[in-house]
Amino acid sequence: MKANIFISRTIYILILSIVCFSCKKKSGPVVQKVVDKPWQGDPASIPAALQKANPVASQEAEKGGVLRLFGGQFPKSLNYYLEQFATTGEVFSMMYESLTNNDPITLEPIPHLAKEWKISANKKKFTFILDGNAKWSDGKPITAYDVLFTYETIMNPKNDTAIFRIGLSRFEKPVVKDASTVEFTAKDIHWNNFNTLSSILILPKHAYEGKDFNKINFVFPVVSGPYELKAAKKGRYIRMRRRGDYWQRAYPYTKGMYNFDEIFFKVSNERSLALQAFKKGDIDFYPVYTAQFWVQEAKGDKFTKNWIVKHRIFNQKPVGFQGWAMNMRRKIFQDRKVRKAISYLVPREMYIEKLMFNEYKKTHSYYPDFYLLGEKHSNEEFTYNQDIARKLFQEAGWKVNDKGYLEKDGVEMAFSMLERDQRSSKFVTPFIERAKEVGVKVKLETTDLPGWSKRMQEYDYDITWVAWGGGIFKDPEAAWYSKYADEKGQNNYTGFKSAQVDALVEKQKTIFSVQKRNQIVKEIDKLVYKEYPYVLLWHLDNTRILYWNRFGMPKNPLGKYGGESFAYTYWWFHSGKAQDLENAIADTKALQGESKEKVSNWEK
């Protein structure tokens, strides 16, 4: 269910003289310009699919400059195999690459580390032949032995890689045919077998063999991707530097990609503080996930003068869901009526109107993007209702005691909400107050991201807020398959178990038609929804970004399916715009162009 990671991620940085808009002094990381080294390969050796231009990249893009981003909380690891956090995923996929990529328009596989591949007629054997030009940052070739080592690392039960073992467990141990050829044999046919193999981020055997993989968190001495980790300081920043010796730097397909010399992630526990840093000029690019920021904070002189651009983008990016996961391993949440009652106690309508300025829509499906274009779902739509909640609690055997709290078998109804963001309190507090009115004790428990991640791995929580990416190709197995409800480190956070859902998960595995498979996923959605494992909240069907007006971008700023991270790979530091911006700030004049909200729609 998590969004597929398309490994054409990138990173940004070179710094021209950036003016600190509050003090008129230059600020920002000092970065030397990256100079690409001459490419020694044979142009004829480049795979045919990569000898043409990338359809979503701009051929006018400049190399250089810095892109300074807000990276959220500092993660417990930058190793994505150990920590599935958004910034970790971005950073790790800048350093390590997959066997294939996907065409950004058709989604068909195209070469990357593998220049070609073969699939047997029975769809059980997958042979990958590596690109002879592919090299690690230390100059050593990327080989089939690295692919085998990556498989063995993920499948080693001593490593905290359980979520990745789901897909790879469908295969026998791969066989190295020669240094450039590796063959996988599937135990069973599955529509996602090729994608599972082709999207593995390949690790360097010679750098990590014999080391404790669970301790490889912030030092990555050998990489293959277009960026390397320059520095990471806990609680402050992550700096990624473009590699001038990246093995694919001369491929025509990569022209217009990986443009920033450095990408600088400024980390902070407080998104509101990061917004102020952005408006001050210490951050260049700021995705907006909070309606209040978009409506009330994204305004002022710098916006009206067009120094900062406020941009809303509609494309075909998959939409996931967010909600409060109820841990059904806890006795209190094992009763379906209790879970349903709690869903009736959440004032979504008030949240959306008062706290989110009607920017969002209530979510009534675990796959909301199925229903964005007018198709109707048949799931029950929750509206805040204490009377229904009371009735459900009563039916479940809970009665109000002399203290005014619900009680059953001598135990009062009480649980905690585990959160990793202080901003959650504005949503949790109204719920706590309303729950108390019907006799439910709820307390807010906060921790940081590393602490939250550790407890999620161990399922050590009552209720917590979880947000899922949508994924272009829906695979319900990780979140809903009973097999993973009791295995620590998996994504079945709620401990959901259903024989009917299991049967449908099994059924869709051998269906290669996306349309037919989606119909099965819709059936799964209906069954899961009726069990109420999550309190579903709300979703947004567009991407909102703020950025200083110094960047160039392709015709479609986020591509067909991309989110904000698309900009890291395809935007560039536009020297002309940057100079115009600097002059406008110095003269306190407006830049030409629209000063109101900019709206883009995907165009063919």
Side-chain angles (χ1 to χ4, degrees):
M1 293 231 340
K2 287 190 176 178
N4 295 352
I5 297 178
F6 291 97
I7 310 299
S8 21
R9 302 284 172 103
T10 196
I11 276 182
Y12 26 55
I13 168 178
L14 173 241
I15 200 166
L16 179 125
S17 297
I18 297 179
V19 178
C20 174
F21 306 123
S22 62
C23 58
K24 300 289 185 178
K25 294 180 181 179
K26 294 178 181 179
S27 66
V30 177
V31 181
Q32 292 183 331
K33 183 171 178 59
V34 174
V35 178
D36 286 352
K37 296 181 179 179
W39 191 68
Q40 304 297 327
D42 178 4
S45 67
I46 299 174
L50 304 184
Q51 292 182 10
K52 59 185 180 181
N54 184 323
V56 300
S58 171
Q59 301 303 295
E60 307 301 320
E62 305 173 38
K63 285 285 193 288
V66 57
L67 178 60
R68 298 170 302 166
L69 308 167
F70 173 52
Q73 297 183 47
F74 195 82
K76 72 175 184 179
S77 174
L78 290 177
N79 183 340
Y80 188 66
Y81 283 125
L82 305 178
E83 166 76 319
Q84 291 79 64
F85 177 55
T87 299
T88 295
E90 296 298 339
V91 167
F92 201 69
S93 60
M94 291 174 184
M95 299 187 291
Y96 295 105
E97 302 173 287
S98 55
L99 294 171
T100 74
N101 270 338
N102 293 83
D103 183 283
I105 304 296
T106 68
L107 299 179
E108 291 298 315
I110 57 175
H112 200 66
L113 289 178
K115 66 178 181 180
E116 59 182 294
W117 51 89
K118 301 173 185 176
I119 303 175
S120 65
N122 67 359
K123 294 185 173 62
K124 282 197 170 184
K125 284 192 182 298
F126 301 83
T127 306
F128 294 90
I129 303 171
L130 300 184
D131 190 326
N133 295 315
K135 288 182 171 56
W136 296 108
S137 55
D138 60 3
K140 293 185 178 181
I142 299 174
T143 72
Y145 296 101
D146 295 310
V147 179
L148 173 59
F149 171 76
T150 304
Y151 169 89
E152 291 177 330
T153 298
I154 294 171
M155 296 306 294
N156 186 341
K158 294 181 180 179
N159 295 333
D160 296 332
T161 53
I163 184 62
F164 297 95
R165 288 198 284 271
I166 293 177
L168 284 185
S169 65
R170 298 195 297 264
F171 299 90
E172 305 289 351
K173 179 179 176 180
V175 175
V176 173
K177 311 298 281 188
D178 57 49
S180 62
T181 309
V182 61
E183 181 181 87
F184 288 84
T185 300
K187 301 172 185 175
D188 299 293
I189 294 174
H190 194 297
W191 65 267
N192 205 25
N193 276 346
F194 179 81
N195 294 333
T196 297
L197 297 175
S198 64
S199 63
I200 300 170
L201 297 172
I202 304 303
L203 303 167
K205 176 181 179 181
H206 65 285
Y208 297 137
E209 188 174 31
K211 296 184 178 180
D212 184 345
F213 190 70
N214 292 326
K215 295 181 179 178
I216 298 175
N217 294 302
F218 297 102
V219 178
F220 307 96
V222 178
V223 300
S224 69
Y227 288 86
E228 61 188 346
L229 179 64
K230 183 69 174 177
K233 190 162 186 178
K234 185 176 181 180
R236 292 189 60 190
Y237 60 78
I238 301 164
R239 291 179 66 177
M240 305 298 295
R241 181 163 172 78
R242 188 169 69 84
R243 293 179 51 218
D245 59 351
Y246 173 51
W247 67 275
Q248 231 182 51
R249 63 191 178 279
Y251 281 30
Y253 187 84
T254 64
K255 182 175 173 56
M257 300 173 66
Y258 319 126
N259 300 313
F260 296 102
D261 276 354
E262 190 170 304
I263 297 179
F264 183 94
F265 293 89
K266 183 179 179 66
V267 299
S268 170
N269 291 346
E270 292 293 333
R271 183 166 287 274
S272 59
L273 295 179
L275 177 61
Q276 297 311 310
F278 166 79
K279 292 167 72 174
K280 176 183 173 184
D282 294 335
I283 294 175
D284 299 310
F285 181 99
Y286 185 89
V288 179
Y289 307 134
T290 305
Q292 178 192 356
F293 291 177
W294 186 257
V295 176
Q296 293 187 326
E297 300 288 337
K299 59 173 62 174
D301 197 46
K302 294 165 187 174
F303 291 88
T304 57
K305 284 186 168 65
N306 201 32
W307 298 351
I308 297 177
V309 180
K310 185 177 182 179
H311 201 163
R312 188 190 298 267
I313 299 168
F314 293 86
N315 60 4
Q316 296 179 35
K317 179 188 73 171
V319 176
F321 74 87
Q322 59 180 314
W324 294 344
M326 289 178 275
N327 189 353
M328 292 189 284
R329 302 169 189 84
R330 301 281 204 254
K331 184 176 180 180
I332 191 173
F333 297 121
Q334 290 173 359
D335 191 314
R336 174 180 173 275
K337 290 183 177 180
V338 168
R339 301 193 299 270
K340 185 175 182 180
I342 291 171
S343 288
Y344 272 110
L345 290 178
V346 180
R348 299 169 186 79
E349 299 81 11
M350 183 276 285
Y351 290 148
I352 292 173
E353 179 184 355
K354 303 295 185 184
L355 302 181
M356 297 187 291
F357 305 90
N358 291 312
E359 281 274 314
Y360 292 78
K361 297 178 181 178
K362 288 198 296 183
T363 301
H364 306 295
S365 167
Y366 291 95
Y367 303 89
D369 51 359
F370 282 151
Y371 306 105
L372 294 179
L373 300 178
E375 183 179 349
K376 300 296 183 182
H377 64 81
S378 59
N379 293 334
E380 177 182 4
E381 296 192 8
F382 284 95
T383 300
Y384 174 71
N385 194 310
Q386 283 192 354
D387 291 336
I388 295 178
R390 286 190 177 94
K391 184 173 185 247
L392 287 165
F393 284 133
Q394 186 178 23
E395 290 175 357
W398 293 86
K399 297 181 180 180
V400 178
N401 61 21
D402 295 339
K403 299 177 183 178
Y405 290 105
L406 289 172
E407 183 179 306
K408 181 178 180 180
D409 300 330
V411 178
E412 290 184 340
M413 180 175 286
F415 55 84
S416 63
M417 297 196 66
L418 176 67
E419 297 298 340
R420 64 184 186 274
D421 189 337
Q422 294 289 348
R423 294 180 302 116
S424 300
S425 62
K426 70 179 181 181
F427 296 101
V428 176
T429 300
F431 167 71
I432 290 176
E433 293 170 350
R434 286 160 175 77
K436 184 177 180 181
E437 291 173 2
V438 300
V440 180
K441 289 182 179 179
V442 185
K443 69 175 181 178
L444 175 61
E445 183 180 5
T446 58
T447 184
D448 58 9
L449 180 63
W452 182 84
S453 297
K454 184 176 187 299
R455 291 182 62 174
M456 292 301 288
Q457 283 186 321
E458 298 173 355
Y459 309 127
D460 180 21
Y461 69 93
D462 293 335
I463 293 184
T464 191
W465 199 323
V466 178
W468 291 80
I472 293 174
F473 304 112
K474 316 299 184 188
D475 190 347
E477 183 172 353
W480 308 125
Y481 202 42
S482 300
K483 178 180 178 180
Y484 305 116
D486 299 319
E487 182 182 345
K488 290 184 178 181
Q490 293 291 1
N491 280 353
N492 188 338
Y493 292 131
T494 61
F496 182 88
K497 294 181 180 180
S498 165
Q500 282 183 283
V501 170
D502 290 347
L504 289 171
V505 169
E506 288 294 334
K507 181 180 179 180
Q508 58 88 44
K509 287 182 178 181
T510 56
I511 296 176
F512 286 80
S513 164
V514 175
Q515 185 176 11
K516 291 180 180 178
R517 210 164 55 237
N518 283 349
Q519 290 302 317
I520 294 176
V521 174
K522 290 177 183 177
E523 291 181 48
I524 291 173
D525 181 49
K526 293 176 184 177
L527 291 171
V528 173
Y529 193 89
K530 291 177 181 177
E531 294 300 321
Y532 318 108
Y534 282 79
V535 175
L536 288 181
L537 299 174
W538 41 77
H539 62 272
L540 187 69
D541 63 354
N542 59 81
T543 302
R544 302 171 301 199
I545 53 177
L546 306 174
Y547 52 91
W548 285 89
N549 200 351
R550 58 169 63 95
F551 299 106
M553 62 191 71
K555 172 186 174 183
N556 289 294
L558 295 185
K560 187 175 183 180
Y561 300 104
E564 64 271 9
S565 61
F566 178 95
Y568 314 166
T569 304
Y570 291 98
W571 288 24
W572 65 93
F573 187 89
H574 193 296
S575 55
K577 282 188 171 185
Q579 187 63 58
D580 290 343
L581 174 61
E582 187 173 342
N583 292 341
I585 293 169
D587 298 334
T588 64
K589 292 183 178 179
L591 284 170
Q592 291 184 347
E594 295 287 338
S595 60
K596 61 182 181 180
E597 178 182 311
K598 184 176 182 180
V599 179
S600 294
N601 291 279
W602 162 255
E603 296 180 23
K604 293 183 179 180

